Amino acid sequence: MGTGRTRVYLEVGQKRAFACALDWPGWCRSGKGEEAALAALAAYLPRYAPVAERAGLSLPTTAGEDFEVVERLPGTRGLTDFGAPGEIAT
């Protein structure tokens, strides 16, 4: 996160996509497409921040403002489109 951007990966199915923050385990949201998933991830930051704080970590103040997509993974109809992420980013 040296660039100040939040690194994310996208898991993209036919009906749904997941955006997951690589450096912040558990901060992952879905939407009906890539942009919707990224918007949902940003909107979820206020709910996720207390989780990070309880773990002794502080999210950068700009964490939900600027995402860097570092990997795109194909999703599956059995998991991704059903509503659960199922792929592992490299």
Side-chain angles (χ1 to χ4, degrees), residues 1 4 8-10 12 23 25-26 33 35 38 44 47 50 54 59-60 64 67 69-70 74 76 83-84 86 88:
M1 292 205 325
V8 299
Y9 72 91
L10 297 173
V12 183
D23 299 311
E35 292 302 317
L38 289 167
Y44 197 71
R47 292 189 67 188
R54 286 196 69 175
L59 285 160
F67 296 117
V69 176
V70 297
T76 64
I88 299 172

Side-chain angles (χ1 to χ4, degrees), residues 33-58:
E34 293 182 18
E35 292 302 317
L38 289 167
L41 188 67
Y44 197 71
L45 179 61
R47 292 189 67 188
Y48 179 77
V51 173
E53 289 172 12
R54 286 196 69 175
L57 305 170
S58 295

Side-chain angles (χ1 to χ4, degrees), residues 9-87:
Y9 72 91
L10 297 173
E11 180 178 326
V12 183
Q14 291 180 359
K15 297 180 182 181
R16 181 174 299 277
F18 281 86
C20 303
L22 285 168
D23 299 311
W24 303 99
W27 187 20
C28 185
R29 303 309 297 166
S30 70
K32 292 184 177 184
E34 293 182 18
E35 292 302 317
L38 289 167
L41 188 67
Y44 197 71
L45 179 61
R47 292 189 67 188
Y48 179 77
V51 173
E53 289 172 12
R54 286 196 69 175
L57 305 170
S58 295
L59 285 160
T61 55
T62 59
E65 296 173 11
D66 192 15
F67 296 117
E68 176 184 3
V69 176
V70 297
E71 188 171 0
R72 280 184 175 78
L73 302 166
T76 64
R77 290 189 347 185
L79 284 176
T80 312
D81 288 340
F82 184 68
E87 300 302 317

